[in-house]
Amino acid sequence: MSIEQTNQLILLILNSVLMTLLSAALLGGAWLRQNMLSQQLSQVQRRYQQMTHRPAIGTAEAQPILEKAQLRANLKRMRDQRQRLRNQYLWSHLGMLTLHIALLIFGVSLFALALRSLLSFDGLISAALFLFTLGSAGLLAGAGCILIDLVQGNSGGDSLGQSLGKVIAQFARWWQRRKSVPLIEPVGESR
């Protein structure tokens, strides 16, 4: 292999590594977002069930009409919020699946380039470039799904900054919990 071919192979490997890292970072953000949506959805479902299964005080005739109308309005608002969260969760889930596939494709592309550095078979470079293009399309599609999820959250009254702030806060809580659990038990201490 000539110096120019080696240089090009190193650049191709570097591009694949960078795209793998980018898709892994986006996948981590999508995972945090999906966990947050799952928590919100379970809270809304719990509140909805509490509202629908609350015990009636007296008979139906004894409840004022205004209270029934307010309950119906609250239930409708809860159903709408639950449906919006389900749609967001669906888009987030689809984005995560797409980003998983893109990450896998970038890994296979990187493996093909690593094989090309060991074997003198030029077909591996063509296969790696095809996989790189396919992975890039998957990365864009996954990012698009995540953006659709964020836009739907934005239409529900959350600003994009609030949504990203919630994701960052959840990541910070996860990081603090992770740091507070010792990975290795200190020497000399036993349970």
Side-chain angles (χ1 to χ4, degrees), residues 27-47 81 84-86 88-90 92-93 96 146 149-154 158-174 177:
L27 184 62
W31 177 74
L32 288 172
R33 174 76 177 158
Q34 189 175 22
N35 283 341
M36 183 186 67
L37 286 172
S38 177
Q39 290 172 358
Q40 286 179 351
L41 188 59
S42 65
Q43 287 173 356
V44 167
Q45 286 176 340
R46 234 178 292 129
R47 278 188 275 158
Q81 184 180 8
R84 182 181 54 84
L85 284 172
R86 280 184 182 163
Q88 284 182 263
Y89 186 84
L90 177 69
S92 176
H93 186 71
M96 273 192 58
I146 299 300
D149 158 39
L150 288 173
V151 166
Q152 285 181 350
N154 192 16
D158 293 342
S159 71
L160 186 58
Q162 287 174 333
S163 297
L164 292 176
K166 288 177 185 176
V167 168
I168 291 171
Q170 184 179 6
F171 178 73
R173 283 191 304 271
W174 172 79
R177 281 185 292 200

Side-chain angles (χ1 to χ4, degrees), residues 7 17 24 43 45-46 57 82 90 94 96 100 118-120 133 148 150 169 173 185 187:
N7 217 10
V17 167
Q43 287 173 356
Q45 286 176 340
R46 234 178 292 129
I57 301 172
R82 187 176 61 182
L90 177 69
L94 186 61
M96 273 192 58
H100 269 103
L118 297 175
L119 305 173
S120 183
T133 305
I148 288 172
L150 288 173
R173 283 191 304 271
E185 187 174 311
V187 178

Side-chain angles (χ1 to χ4, degrees), residues 99-161:
L99 289 172
H100 269 103
I101 292 169
L103 185 62
L104 181 67
I105 290 172
F106 282 131
V108 172
S109 171
L110 194 56
F111 181 70
L113 288 172
L115 277 179
R116 172 56 182 98
S117 66
L118 297 175
L119 305 173
S120 183
F121 180 61
D122 289 334
L124 288 171
I125 291 179
S126 298
L129 286 174
F130 174 74
L131 290 171
F132 182 82
T133 305
L134 193 62
S136 297
L139 183 70
L140 288 174
C145 290
I146 299 300
L147 286 176
I148 288 172
D149 158 39
L150 288 173
V151 166
Q152 285 181 350
N154 192 16
S155 67
D158 293 342
S159 71
L160 186 58

Side-chain angles (χ1 to χ4, degrees), residues 2-115:
S2 70
I3 294 175
E4 185 177 323
Q5 288 175 333
T6 305
N7 217 10
Q8 289 175 349
L9 185 61
I10 289 171
L11 288 175
L12 287 173
I13 291 173
L14 181 62
N15 283 340
S16 287
V17 167
L18 289 175
M19 292 299 272
T20 302
L21 290 175
L22 178 63
S23 61
L26 283 174
L27 184 62
W31 177 74
L32 288 172
R33 174 76 177 158
Q34 189 175 22
N35 283 341
M36 183 186 67
L37 286 172
S38 177
Q39 290 172 358
Q40 286 179 351
L41 188 59
S42 65
Q43 287 173 356
V44 167
Q45 286 176 340
R46 234 178 292 129
R47 278 188 275 158
Y48 183 79
Q49 286 180 349
Q50 287 173 353
M51 289 175 73
T52 57
H53 292 97
R54 70 180 188 168
I57 301 172
T59 62
E61 292 84 20
Q63 292 180 346
I65 295 174
L66 184 61
E67 185 179 317
K68 287 182 183 180
Q70 185 179 14
L71 180 63
R72 283 188 189 130
N74 287 340
L75 286 174
K76 182 180 179 348
R77 190 171 54 246
M78 286 291 217
R79 278 192 303 265
D80 292 343
Q81 184 180 8
R82 187 176 61 182
Q83 186 61 37
R84 182 181 54 84
L85 284 172
R86 280 184 182 163
N87 287 339
Q88 284 182 263
Y89 186 84
L90 177 69
W91 280 108
S92 176
H93 186 71
L94 186 61
M96 273 192 58
L97 287 176
T98 308
L99 289 172
H100 269 103
I101 292 169
L103 185 62
L104 181 67
I105 290 172
F106 282 131
V108 172
S109 171
L110 194 56
F111 181 70
L113 288 172
L115 277 179

